[in-house]
Amino acid sequence: MRLTCPLCGDRDRREFYYYGAEDYLHRPVEGAPVADWDNYLHLRDNPAGVTKDLWYHEAGCSQWLLVTRNTVTHEISAVELVAERKA
Amino acid sequence: MRIDGKGLIDRTKPVRFRFDGKDYAGYKGDTLASALLANDVRLVGRSFKYHRPRGVLTAGSEEPNALVEVVGPSNQTPNVRATMQEVFEGLVAQSQNRLGSLRFDLLAVNDYLSPFLSAGFYYKTFMWPRAFWEGLYEPIIRRAAGLGSLSGKHDEGTYEKAFAFCDVLVIGSGPAGLMAALTAGRSGADVILCEESHALGGRLLSDNQTVGGMPAGEWVAQVVAELQALPNVRIMARTTVTGAYDHGTYGALERVGLHKPARPNLPRECFWRIVAKHAVLASGALERPVAFENNDRPGIMMASAVRTYLNRYGVVPGKRVTLFANTDQARGVARELMAAGVTVAAIIDPRPDASSVEDCPVHVGAEVVGSRGRLGLSGIQVRKGSEIIEIETDCLAMSGGWNPTIHLTCHMNGRPRWSEELAAFVPMEGAVPGLVAVGAANGSMSTHGALVTGHAAALKAVEALGRKVSVAVPEAEDMPYRLKALWAVEGTGRAWLDFANDVTTKDVKLAAQEGFRSVEHMKRYTTQGMAPDQGKNSNVAALAVLADATGRGIAETGVTTFRPPFTPVSIAAMGAGGRAEGFAPQRFLTSDQASRDRGAPMIEAGLWYRPSYFPKPGETTWRDACDREVNMVRQAVGVADVSTLGKIDIQGKDAGRFLDFVYTNTFSTLPVGRVRYGLMLREDGLVLDDGTSARLGQDHYLMTTTTAAAGLVMRHLDFVHQAFCADWQVRFISVTESWAQFAVAGPKARALVNSFLEVPVELPFMGVAPVRIGGVDGRLFRISFSGEEGYELSVPTRYGEALFRDLVARAETMGGGPYGMEALNVLRIEKGFITHAEIHGRVTAHDIGMEKMVSAKKDCIGKAAATRPGMWGPEREQLVGLKTHAPISAGAHLFVPATEVHRETDQGYVTSVCWSPTVGAWLGLGFLKDGRARHGEKIRLVDHLRGLDVICEVCHPVFHDPEGEKLRA
Amino acid sequence: MRYSGLKVITEGLLGNKGWTPAWRDPAPKAEYDVVIIGGGGHGLSTAYYLAKNHGITNVAVLEKGYLGSGNIGRNTTIVRANYFLPGNSEFYSHSMKLWEGLEADLNYNVMHSQRGLINLFHSDGQRDAFVRRGNAMINQGDDAILLDRDGVREHLPYLDFDNTRFPIYGGLLHPRGGSARHDAVAWGYARGADKRGVDLIQNCEVTGIDIDGGVVRGVQTTRGAIRAKKVGIVVAGRSSQVAAMAGMRLPIESHVLQAFVTEGLKPVINHVISFGMGHFYISQSDKGGLVFGGDLDFYASYAARGNLPMVEHVMEAGMTLMPMIGRAKVLRSWGGIMDMSPDGSPIIDKTHVDGLFIDCGWNYGGFKAVPASGWCMAHLMATGESHEVAAKFRLDRFATGHLLDEEGTGSQHNLH
């Protein structure tokens, strides 16, 4: 398995740490109801198909990456820097 | 028997080897199988379940029968395919899976019991009495099962792993593979050509063919010579591509030294990770047996194998050969045998419309229905219409057609497609992105078809790479592939499908009869296809029999999944580098050698090695040293290397704001030159880590983490920054390895530290200052993990060892010295400081009494989740101290005295204990339900495992200097 | 048909013609009292105990593939009761008791073998954590023995004690731990459920859950609509998709866990052994293959296959721990899809829909749980109340913070 880091290029999966779904980017504001935090921390769409998830180029540039990926085929269709993400 | 003038073996290089204690001779270029057959050795193994006599079936890696143990000077290797093992001078092999000798295997009794050992019999019996399973039945089954043996000794062989990258990976070097490699190679693309065998050419080495107007062997030699001369082509012989993985990654096993006598540093195998932009699968096809009664006797072989042994090794496995085949292609075997002067007793062709014109008797529309010969074939029975013909033969070459070798195309869950025309499964296009199957692997059965498709696939890859090439495809045979599918001959006896696992057509039918009608149920119930060949010889026939038994078509019945590896790969090869210390990186302190010089036992702390204690003459146990070191720190001064703590340098205008966000408490208000203890939560509200952070300048902090969580915290900070506040002006970097840092603790710590400083400083408790030490810029922190007046002195790593040696030497003149992890642990327990023994991932700030450190004035990571009702309150276990006068243990559980001891009365548990020379008692830290409200209570500590049952006093976790007077002295 | 040694002999003498199907192959009826979605280990055991313990036999198990096609047929077959958190302890303890009577109960030899499980530890800290665990096991009424280095050597002389990155300090021996033949467990429960009247319907994929006014009414399937008074979702590996049909978003992320088996070998490893410093656990099957596994591949996946980094890590761990297995050859590798929950513990609970229940989130510990999971799910579906040994496996425990986190790694699904 390989990932193309926007900064470092095509790299082996061994260089990356996986966190989970992109939900972790949508941190509720302080004082948000419990359900929001449950949604943020625990509940997942967990699709069998295209998803967006978070990878960390730990053995590389230390950038967190937002990866568009298919959970069935493992095809990767887009990689962007979390820090410069569009959405 | 060896045939003069045939074969690619080197007859000038005889090789002596040994099999089952007997010496034989072969030639360089032989496999163990060809050399044994040349010596007329037909019986080479015993089957898995019935212990039937078995001989060589194939000439390739799919061999199910001829599995042997290869015995080296120091170890042995089980389940080696005799068909792949090249002979070398001194090779020693022995047969396996037998009780007694190979000829008289006592477990052959199983064959007579076979009516009671049908598919799944073990699920229906051995249930009573219950205790007999582990005691009697299972041990007998376990001893009878299995194939070869491991020695039980460490594998001391050398193995390697490597990465390779290429534009085009060509898998297989038959006509299709060579053509693909040549095409891609001439274009200038980076090409890797992998060939499983030791010689390139695939079936062109086995079949008497003409390519481009010349004998196929010559064409192969020409192409190989050209490829070898191309700098952009790498030829990897003896290399099996074992698996297709994501994004163009392939696993491959190279047999580096298995064909040579062992010698030091010669790797046995190398496991490759090949990353390819394009791959061409030219793996050919595997010939399939036909199931008929007693079709498993030594001497019954695949027709293609007979051909390979004849043409490649100059060996004929019998004197009177018969051929049972349903394709025109297989006729060539008989013709080549006759041309070599071998008697072909008969050809049996089940196709009624097949030609009967050959230079030997031909029975068309006939089938082999049985065989005889106890340890080797002596004759067959042939049914032609209503007639049964008895034919004397010692070698039956059989062929039921071919199965394309599609395995790699299925490794990413791609399902193959059933081709009625070929009566075989062919690859689904695109099943592995970037990989294209060509030649026989894709159902193009002629040599012409192989060359054309190999060329076309390579051309397409080359064009995708933006290259151009023009290569002419040579002429070759283009015989149509015409067969009548024949899976199993009708009969009442046992007809083998899976030779390796002893699965017969009866077993498959029984499975269907018992409702195991799905192909996966059948496989799992009968063990069909689960043997070392993974069903390469039998899966398709077995599901044809199942389809027949269940009244469905083969396409509807479906196929089980091919999974990596294509051929078995040793654990040592894929685990190369893991042996001994190689398993994980080793991290050494700058003081490592100095500590070892002092006799300190070094222990693993994560990836680090740290000194356990520093023994002195006369001390007999670690406790002696530990107690002394604790007293030394409390009374004089101790020195410890604490460089393993994570250090993160944080700078920027928003650095303080950032720390406020990741710590529960506030750091933006910390004055420059001061240090603060910080508590960090995970976003789920549980404690992630603790440590101190120092403010070195207005926009400059230095954070420390625990040793264990250094990487974790760095990753966490990067996430929080990049995900939530990427626009803040803050940057950070790990400087753990840039600084060596030493704790200096004890009443004489200040004196010792000042003796090093060019300009002595007066630091308040929790102060930090830049210092000069022997001309070097360093930092001095006044912090303590021992409860004594403590400093941490840090210098760039390259000065660490010198500073440590000097610190220790000067400390010793003051009645102090170095202290190790054991003493460090006692000191922190006496002071009630926590480590990851306490903050073990299930603990909240509330549990450790630090809920007040969660600032109400600001948001921070984990703050919201920590307010969930389950995260606080008296039903949770809270940190307490425990004190007693008898030895206690970590891992013990806590109970109210005089209550029963079981899960429901459990009150908590102990995380850390020590004998405290300072307090003169056994101390512990632990978690107790509603513990803070229970100081002063007696509690019962029970450790069943160590046989301890002790009453302790529950107390505040800080045992030593609770007011902190010493810290601030 | 009752199975026995005598039956095997008499059938053998009669040419094995008399064996009857292990289960019927019924067409789905229009309505059932209970529909269980998922014909894996947990679904089949739920149906079995609904019939056996509660007399509810008008039950259908709907399986989209073949019975036992999920993780029951692709795990490393380890059976143990070595949990330490209240909530888990009693559940796995209960499961172990059911395992110990399973063959007699099912009249099916699932080859449950208590050859002992040894968890190795490699530091003082790990030892203390295992002691805490071992004491919890004994407090629960199960068994545990602390072995020092020499004690481990006595049981496992072939480990590398001398030349290794992480020396072996000792081990926690769980004598009642062991393994079982995974497929046989599915088949035994299937046969038992079928015998009690449960309809096992294969190749029947659920495509929708019919809900009316907050009450479940039945399911839509590829073989037509089926009405049901109660529906249980027991589809670990696909839980999120099926729950979504009822409008639920689960605390689950799906991950692939690889496992490996070698070619058959004569007996060389008797116990189940797990390494403490890298993910590696191993046992030897009765057929002779070394069965072993490691950690997740660590990325969300439904692919039932993995990649080389974890493969190699597992092999490397094997080589540092027990280099005698180096020359065993890996025959097959595969992947199972794990329902990873945010605390590593499962869910057996009601849902927001009346009559709809869910059993999911088994992480990679589902195999040993099959008997108790079915037992407790059946209890819940029959009585409407959680069984006492599964009372903490609640769907809302993440929202309320009543976590069961044995690993202590927190709300990151793939870290459990």
Side-chain angles (χ1 to χ4, degrees), chain B residues 127, chain C residues 1-3 20-26 44 47-49 51-52 56-59 61 67 102-108 186-200:
Chain B
M127 286 178 273
Chain C
M1 175 181 284
R2 192 163 174 79
Y3 292 155
T20 55
W23 46 76
R24 297 165 296 125
D25 187 15
L44 291 167
Y48 176 79
Y49 291 117
K52 178 169 185 266
I56 300 172
T57 59
N58 185 24
V59 175
V61 175
L67 296 176
L102 203 56
E103 272 114 1
D105 188 22
L106 297 177
N107 177 230
Y108 206 84
W187 300 338
Y189 274 115
R191 180 168 163 269
D194 174 85
K195 201 170 102 184
R196 285 169 170 80
V198 173
D199 281 357
L200 307 177

Side-chain angles (χ1 to χ4, degrees), chain B residues 49-133:
Chain B
K49 183 164 152 190
Y50 301 133
H51 288 254
R52 303 256 298 182
R54 288 291 167 78
V56 175
L57 182 75
T58 73
S61 63
E62 71 277 19
E63 175 62 31
N65 291 343
L67 271 51
V68 300
E69 289 166 354
V70 169
V71 184
S74 64
N75 215 327
Q76 69 181 50
T77 312
N79 303 336
V80 174
R81 277 81 178 145
T83 49
M84 294 302 286
Q85 175 64 52
E86 296 165 55
V87 293
F88 56 82
E89 188 64 30
L91 169 70
V92 179
Q94 63 195 25
S95 57
Q96 55 184 38
N97 194 33
R98 56 184 161 78
L99 188 61
S101 74
L102 187 57
R103 293 179 71 84
F104 301 101
D105 176 1
L106 296 173
L107 285 171
V109 65
N110 287 359
D111 201 27
Y112 297 99
L113 298 174
S114 67
F116 314 114
L117 309 181
S118 60
F121 78 97
Y122 30 76
Y123 301 127
K124 300 166 180 167
T125 181
F126 303 133
M127 286 178 273
W128 185 88
R130 153 94 201 141
F132 276 36
W133 177 248

Side-chain angles (χ1 to χ4, degrees), chain A residues 7-86:
Chain A
L7 299 187
C8 308
D10 177 37
R11 297 300 177 100
D12 193 272
R13 185 260 178 276
R14 289 169 177 80
E15 297 186 6
F16 299 89
Y17 173 87
Y18 181 85
Y19 189 15
E22 65 157 335
D23 299 59
Y24 287 122
L25 294 178
H26 310 304
R27 189 171 189 271
V29 295
E30 197 182 359
V34 170
D36 288 8
W37 285 96
D38 192 27
N39 229 2
Y40 166 67
L41 280 169
H42 310 121
L43 305 184
R44 294 292 177 261
D45 286 343
N46 193 26
V50 175
T51 191
K52 283 192 175 191
D53 48 21
L54 298 164
W55 300 68
Y56 178 52
H57 199 181
E58 187 156 36
C61 58
S62 299
Q63 288 301 297
W64 279 90
L65 310 179
L66 180 58
V67 176
T68 308
R69 197 175 60 89
N70 188 307
T71 59
V72 176
T73 64
H74 296 169
E75 184 191 359
I76 293 167
S77 47
V79 183
E80 61 182 323
L81 297 178
V82 160
E84 294 171 12
R85 66 188 183 278
K86 295 191 182 67

Side-chain angles (χ1 to χ4, degrees), chain A residues 1-2 10 12 14, chain B residues 161-172 190-195 234-254 270-280 408 432-433 435, chain C residues 307-308 312:
Chain A
M1 177 174 264
R2 299 180 70 78
D10 177 37
D12 193 272
R14 289 169 177 80
Chain B
K161 278 201 280 203
F163 279 100
F165 298 82
C166 63
D167 293 325
V168 183
L169 169 66
V170 180
I171 302 162
D190 283 330
V191 176
I192 292 177
L193 171 62
C194 290
E195 166 55 50
R234 175 181 200 161
I235 297 177
M236 297 174 70
R238 297 189 179 90
T239 303
T240 308
V241 175
T242 56
Y245 300 91
D246 281 314
H247 312 134
T249 306
Y250 297 84
L253 182 71
E254 180 183 3
C270 177
F271 185 72
W272 290 87
R273 289 71 56 94
I274 302 174
V275 180
K277 295 192 181 102
H278 301 271
V280 178
L408 284 174
V432 171
L435 177 134
Chain C
N307 276 290
L308 284 173
E312 293 173 30

Side-chain angles (χ1 to χ4, degrees), chain B residues 48 75-79 81 97 115-116 118 122-127 130 133-134 138 142-150 152-155 159 161 245-246 268 271 273 411-413 501 510 513-516 518 520-521 523-525 530-532 534 561 563-565 568-572 574-575 578-581 583-586 603-604 606-607 609 682 684 822 840-842 868-871 890-893 895 901-903 906 909 943-946, chain C residues 3-5 8-9 12-13 16-17 19 21-23 66-67 73-74 84 89-90 100 103 107-109 111-115 124 127-128 131-132 134-136 138-140 144 158-160 163-167 169 172 181 183-184 187 202 263-267 269 275 277 284-287 292 303-308 311-313 315-317 319-320 323-334 398-402 405-411:
Chain B
F48 178 74
N75 215 327
Q76 69 181 50
T77 312
N79 303 336
R81 277 81 178 145
N97 194 33
F116 314 114
S118 60
Y122 30 76
Y123 301 127
K124 300 166 180 167
T125 181
F126 303 133
M127 286 178 273
R130 153 94 201 141
W133 177 248
E134 284 92 344
E138 191 186 38
R142 285 173 82 86
R143 273 198 294 275
L147 292 166
S149 303
L150 291 173
K153 289 192 276 191
H154 299 338
D155 184 357
Y159 299 85
K161 278 201 280 203
Y245 300 91
D246 281 314
R268 289 168 54 80
F271 185 72
R273 289 71 56 94
H411 282 181
M412 290 169 72
N413 295 343
N501 258 0
L510 178 62
Q513 177 188 329
E514 295 194 77
F516 295 85
S518 141
E520 283 283 351
H521 277 162
K523 166 191 152 178
R524 290 157 184 267
Y525 195 60
M530 294 166 80
Q534 286 285 285
T561 314
R563 295 193 183 277
V569 182
S570 69
I571 291 174
M574 284 195 283
R579 181 92 167 80
E581 287 85 9
F583 177 65
Q586 295 173 296
I603 54 168
E604 299 73 24
L607 297 178
Y609 289 87
R682 302 187 306 223
D684 67 358
E822 296 295 348
H840 49 52
R842 287 171 295 270
R868 289 178 287 173
M871 305 294 271
H893 287 240
F895 297 88
V901 170
H902 55 77
R903 172 178 52 81
D906 199 328
Y909 56 95
D943 183 344
H944 304 284
L945 296 176
R946 295 174 174 120
Chain C
Y3 292 155
S4 67
V8 168
I9 290 168
L13 292 172
N16 288 309
K17 297 283 186 224
W19 296 113
W23 46 76
Y66 57 94
L67 296 176
R74 51 191 85 211
F84 74 98
S89 289
E90 56 267 41
E100 287 168 342
E103 272 114 1
N107 177 230
Y108 206 84
N109 188 355
M111 302 187 191
H112 176 222
S113 172
Q114 298 183 303
R115 298 192 307 278
D124 289 341
R127 182 197 54 222
D128 294 343
V131 168
R132 179 184 172 198
N135 279 315
I138 293 171
N139 290 336
Q140 170 58 35
Y158 46 79
L159 299 185
D160 193 341
N163 181 23
T164 185
R165 177 69 179 82
F166 297 108
Y169 278 48
L172 187 67
R181 168 85 180 95
D183 289 323
W187 300 338
Q202 304 185 67
E263 297 175 334
L265 299 160
K266 291 296 174 198
I269 292 176
F275 182 35
M277 289 305 293
Q284 186 170 16
S285 79
D286 285 347
K287 270 183 69 192
F292 58 105
R305 62 183 177 81
N307 276 290
L308 284 173
V311 174
E312 293 173 30
H313 172 80
M315 307 293 156
E316 287 164 14
M319 287 308 290
T320 196
M324 70 106 177
I325 62 172
R327 294 186 183 199
K329 294 194 278 292
V330 175
L331 180 59
R332 192 173 175 86
S333 63
W334 65 94
F398 306 101
T400 65
H402 294 92
D405 187 352
E406 296 257 337
E407 304 254 358
T409 41
S411 66

